[in-house]
Amino acid sequence: MNLVLKATQFAALKHRNQRRKDGKTPYIIHPISVAMILAEIGGIDDPEILSAALLHDTIEDTNTSAKELDKEFGSTVRKIVEEVTDNKKLTFSKRKQLQIDKAPFLSKDATLVKIADKISNVSDVIKSPPPEWDQLRCDNYIDWAEAVIKNCQKVNKKLEKHFFKLLTNYREE
Ligand code: ZN
Protein backbone atom coordinates (compact mmCIF):
# COMPACT_ATOMS: atom_id res chain seq x y z
CA MET A 1 0.00 0.00 0.00
CA ASN A 2 2.76 2.45 0.95
CA LEU A 3 4.58 1.74 -2.29
CA VAL A 4 1.42 2.40 -4.30
CA LEU A 5 0.77 5.72 -2.53
CA LYS A 6 4.39 6.75 -3.00
CA ALA A 7 4.16 5.91 -6.72
CA THR A 8 0.94 7.97 -6.99
CA GLN A 9 2.64 10.99 -5.44
CA PHE A 10 5.81 10.55 -7.52
CA ALA A 11 3.87 10.28 -10.80
CA ALA A 12 1.57 13.21 -9.91
CA LEU A 13 4.62 15.42 -9.35
CA LYS A 14 6.42 14.28 -12.51
CA HIS A 15 3.37 14.74 -14.75
CA ARG A 16 2.17 17.91 -12.99
CA ASN A 17 2.51 20.21 -16.01
CA GLN A 18 1.07 17.78 -18.58
CA ARG A 19 -2.41 17.31 -20.00
CA ARG A 20 -3.95 14.40 -21.88
CA LYS A 21 -4.50 14.59 -25.64
CA ASP A 22 -7.93 16.19 -25.12
CA GLY A 23 -6.01 19.25 -23.86
CA LYS A 24 -7.84 19.57 -20.55
CA THR A 25 -7.59 16.39 -18.44
CA PRO A 26 -4.57 16.40 -16.07
CA TYR A 27 -2.16 13.71 -17.29
CA ILE A 28 -2.06 11.86 -13.95
CA ILE A 29 -5.65 10.69 -14.48
CA HIS A 30 -4.30 8.29 -17.13
CA PRO A 31 -1.72 6.37 -15.01
CA ILE A 32 -4.22 6.26 -12.14
CA SER A 33 -6.83 4.78 -14.49
CA VAL A 34 -4.31 2.17 -15.71
CA ALA A 35 -3.70 1.06 -12.10
CA MET A 36 -7.46 1.04 -11.41
CA ILE A 37 -8.15 -1.08 -14.51
CA LEU A 38 -5.56 -3.62 -13.30
CA ALA A 39 -7.10 -3.72 -9.82
CA GLU A 40 -10.81 -3.54 -10.67
CA ILE A 41 -10.99 -5.49 -13.93
CA GLY A 42 -7.85 -7.62 -13.77
CA GLY A 43 -8.06 -8.43 -10.05
CA ILE A 44 -4.38 -7.49 -9.62
CA ASP A 45 -3.33 -6.59 -6.06
CA ASP A 46 0.45 -6.86 -6.35
CA PRO A 47 1.80 -3.47 -5.15
CA GLU A 48 4.81 -3.60 -7.48
CA ILE A 49 2.66 -4.13 -10.57
CA LEU A 50 0.21 -1.40 -9.48
CA SER A 51 3.12 0.97 -8.77
CA ALA A 52 4.65 0.21 -12.18
CA ALA A 53 1.26 1.05 -13.73
CA LEU A 54 1.23 4.41 -11.94
CA LEU A 55 4.78 5.10 -13.11
CA HIS A 56 4.55 3.58 -16.59
CA ASP A 57 4.85 6.86 -18.54
CA THR A 58 7.37 8.65 -16.29
CA ILE A 59 10.54 7.64 -18.18
CA GLU A 60 8.95 8.16 -21.60
CA ASP A 61 7.19 11.46 -20.96
CA THR A 62 8.98 13.18 -18.05
CA ASN A 63 12.57 13.79 -16.92
CA THR A 64 12.57 10.58 -14.81
CA SER A 65 15.50 8.18 -15.22
CA ALA A 66 15.48 4.41 -14.80
CA LYS A 67 18.07 4.87 -12.05
CA GLU A 68 15.73 7.15 -10.12
CA LEU A 69 12.90 4.59 -10.30
CA ASP A 70 15.28 1.85 -9.21
CA LYS A 71 16.36 3.85 -6.18
CA GLU A 72 12.83 4.90 -5.15
CA PHE A 73 10.82 1.77 -6.06
CA GLY A 74 13.29 -1.11 -6.56
CA SER A 75 14.42 -3.10 -9.57
CA THR A 76 11.15 -5.03 -10.16
CA VAL A 77 9.14 -1.83 -10.67
CA ARG A 78 11.93 -0.18 -12.65
CA LYS A 79 12.18 -3.16 -15.02
CA ILE A 80 8.43 -3.23 -15.75
CA VAL A 81 8.43 0.50 -16.53
CA GLU A 82 11.47 0.13 -18.78
CA GLU A 83 9.78 -2.69 -20.69
CA VAL A 84 6.77 -0.52 -21.54
CA THR A 85 8.84 2.58 -22.38
CA ASP A 86 9.17 3.55 -26.06
CA ASN A 87 12.53 4.75 -27.33
CA LYS A 88 11.76 8.36 -28.22
CA LYS A 89 14.90 8.64 -30.34
CA LEU A 90 13.10 6.54 -32.96
CA THR A 91 10.52 7.96 -35.36
CA PHE A 92 6.84 7.81 -34.47
CA SER A 93 6.05 5.07 -37.01
CA LYS A 94 9.09 2.99 -36.02
CA ARG A 95 8.05 3.18 -32.32
CA LYS A 96 4.51 2.11 -33.19
CA GLN A 97 5.77 -0.88 -35.21
CA LEU A 98 8.20 -1.87 -32.44
CA GLN A 99 5.34 -2.07 -29.93
CA ILE A 100 3.71 -4.69 -32.17
CA ASP A 101 6.98 -6.56 -32.78
CA LYS A 102 8.12 -6.58 -29.14
CA ALA A 103 4.74 -7.46 -27.61
CA PRO A 104 5.25 -11.27 -27.54
CA PHE A 105 8.52 -10.89 -25.61
CA LEU A 106 7.25 -8.72 -22.75
CA SER A 107 7.31 -10.25 -19.26
CA LYS A 108 3.97 -11.25 -17.75
CA ASP A 109 3.93 -8.19 -15.47
CA ALA A 110 4.76 -5.79 -18.29
CA THR A 111 2.08 -7.43 -20.45
CA LEU A 112 -0.52 -6.70 -17.76
CA VAL A 113 0.48 -3.01 -17.69
CA LYS A 114 0.51 -2.91 -21.50
CA ILE A 115 -3.06 -4.25 -21.78
CA ALA A 116 -4.40 -1.90 -19.07
CA ASP A 117 -2.63 1.03 -20.79
CA LYS A 118 -4.30 0.18 -24.10
CA ILE A 119 -7.70 -0.22 -22.40
CA SER A 120 -7.30 3.26 -20.89
CA ASN A 121 -6.15 4.86 -24.17
CA VAL A 122 -8.74 3.15 -26.36
CA SER A 123 -11.53 4.13 -23.90
CA ASP A 124 -10.33 7.75 -24.07
CA VAL A 125 -10.25 7.75 -27.88
CA ILE A 126 -13.78 6.31 -27.96
CA LYS A 127 -15.28 8.56 -25.25
CA SER A 128 -13.43 11.83 -25.80
CA PRO A 129 -11.21 11.75 -28.89
CA PRO A 130 -8.52 14.42 -29.20
CA PRO A 131 -10.21 17.43 -30.89
CA GLU A 132 -7.96 17.31 -33.98
CA TRP A 133 -8.51 13.56 -34.61
CA ASP A 134 -10.97 12.62 -37.35
CA GLN A 135 -12.77 9.28 -37.61
CA LEU A 136 -10.02 7.66 -39.68
CA ARG A 137 -7.31 8.60 -37.20
CA CYS A 138 -9.38 7.14 -34.33
CA ASP A 139 -10.00 3.95 -36.35
CA ASN A 140 -6.30 3.63 -37.16
CA TYR A 141 -5.34 4.10 -33.53
CA ILE A 142 -7.75 1.40 -32.43
CA ASP A 143 -6.57 -1.01 -35.16
CA TRP A 144 -2.97 -0.45 -34.05
CA ALA A 145 -3.81 -1.02 -30.35
CA GLU A 146 -5.55 -4.26 -31.36
CA ALA A 147 -2.45 -5.42 -33.28
CA VAL A 148 -0.28 -4.79 -30.20
CA ILE A 149 -2.59 -6.64 -27.80
CA LYS A 150 -3.17 -9.54 -30.20
CA ASN A 151 0.61 -10.06 -30.21
CA CYS A 152 0.89 -10.09 -26.40
CA GLN A 153 1.08 -13.27 -24.32
CA LYS A 154 -2.27 -14.28 -22.85
CA VAL A 155 -1.89 -13.39 -19.18
CA ASN A 156 -5.28 -12.26 -17.86
CA LYS A 157 -8.58 -13.36 -19.38
CA LYS A 158 -10.66 -10.59 -17.79
CA LEU A 159 -8.44 -7.81 -19.11
CA GLU A 160 -8.23 -9.37 -22.57
CA LYS A 161 -11.97 -9.86 -22.72
CA HIS A 162 -12.60 -6.28 -21.63
CA PHE A 163 -10.20 -4.93 -24.25
CA PHE A 164 -11.70 -6.86 -27.16
CA LYS A 165 -15.23 -6.02 -26.00
CA LEU A 166 -14.38 -2.30 -26.22
CA LEU A 167 -13.32 -2.80 -29.85
CA THR A 168 -16.43 -4.78 -30.75
CA ASN A 169 -18.74 -2.17 -29.22
CA TYR A 170 -16.90 0.65 -31.00
CA ARG A 171 -17.03 -1.07 -34.38
CA GLU A 172 -20.69 -1.99 -34.05
CA GLU A 173 -21.72 1.64 -33.51
ZN1 ZN B 1 0.14 5.21 -20.88
Side-chain angles (χ1 to χ4, degrees), residues 27 30 56-57 117 121:
Y27 197 90
H30 165 63
H56 79 275
D57 280 330
D117 185 31
N121 286 334

Side-chain angles (χ1 to χ4, degrees), residues 7 20 24-25 34 44 48 51 53 57 70-72 77 81-82 104 106 118 123 127 130 145 156 168:
R20 290 290 283 163
K24 38 183 200 242
T25 311
V34 173
I44 303 298
E48 288 181 314
S51 297
D57 280 330
D70 201 290
K71 184 171 156 269
E72 298 291 333
V77 171
V81 176
E82 280 192 303
L106 293 174
K118 292 289 179 277
S123 304
K127 274 185 267 167
N156 185 299
T168 312

Side-chain angles (χ1 to χ4, degrees), residues 126-140:
I126 293 172
K127 274 185 267 167
S128 51
E132 72 279 15
W133 284 29
D134 58 12
Q135 183 71 43
L136 179 66
R137 179 130 186 224
C138 293
D139 290 353
N140 287 343

Side-chain angles (χ1 to χ4, degrees), residues 33-158:
S33 91
V34 173
M36 284 175 69
I37 288 162
L38 283 174
E40 290 177 354
I41 302 169
I44 303 298
D45 58 6
D46 180 324
E48 288 181 314
I49 299 177
L50 296 176
S51 297
L54 287 158
L55 299 164
H56 79 275
D57 280 330
T58 56
I59 296 182
E60 194 171 308
D61 292 331
T62 77
N63 63 359
T64 308
S65 67
K67 208 174 154 191
E68 199 178 356
L69 290 185
D70 201 290
K71 184 171 156 269
E72 298 291 333
F73 302 98
S75 61
T76 304
V77 171
R78 185 260 300 160
K79 278 183 203 158
I80 300 170
V81 176
E82 280 192 303
E83 279 191 81
V84 297
T85 297
D86 283 353
N87 180 353
K88 283 224 164 156
K89 286 180 187 141
L90 303 172
T91 62
F92 179 81
S93 64
K94 180 89 189 145
R95 292 197 318 256
K96 296 284 149 183
Q97 185 59 44
L98 267 182
Q99 281 207 34
I100 298 174
D101 297 343
K102 285 166 77 179
F105 309 106
L106 293 174
S107 68
K108 180 175 181 281
D109 293 350
T111 303
L112 289 167
V113 174
K114 176 70 80 180
I115 301 176
D117 185 31
K118 292 289 179 277
I119 290 175
S120 170
N121 286 334
V122 164
S123 304
D124 283 355
V125 167
I126 293 172
K127 274 185 267 167
S128 51
E132 72 279 15
W133 284 29
D134 58 12
Q135 183 71 43
L136 179 66
R137 179 130 186 224
C138 293
D139 290 353
N140 287 343
Y141 179 85
I142 284 164
D143 290 349
W144 166 76
E146 181 183 31
V148 174
I149 299 306
K150 274 193 166 162
N151 253 6
C152 284
Q153 296 183 69
K154 301 292 164 264
V155 291
N156 185 299
K157 279 212 175 68
K158 287 178 192 153

